[in-house]
Amino acid sequence: MSVDLDRWHPTHVYLAFWLQDKIKREGLEGIHYMEHARDWAERNAGDETADAISKELSKL
């Protein structure tokens, strides 16, 4: 994927690369947002699916 960096303000480009490097060096320890999202999905997948099916069936 190619991105034209010239169309972005130089400060934004600098900050994007700075943030990328910071995350690479320090990681995202302590946030665990993906683990939280996965756990929520595992706990609620059945209910969410049942609700979606019920909603569609009620339209019939």
Side-chain angles (χ1 to χ4, degrees), residues 5 9 12-13 21-22 26-27 33 35 38 47-50 53-54 56 59-60:
L5 295 178
H9 191 280
H12 296 158
V13 174
D21 185 56
K22 180 174 176 62
E26 300 175 18
Y33 62 92
E35 183 177 330
R38 186 192 69 234
D47 291 337
E48 291 293 317
T49 302
I53 291 170
S54 295
E56 290 302 314
K59 293 179 182 178
L60 298 176

Side-chain angles (χ1 to χ4, degrees), residues 31-54:
I31 295 177
H32 302 296
Y33 62 92
M34 290 303 294
E35 183 177 330
H36 175 74
R38 186 192 69 234
D39 291 344
W40 180 91
E42 288 174 353
R43 285 191 316 271
N44 296 296
D47 291 337
E48 291 293 317
T49 302
D51 289 346
I53 291 170
S54 295

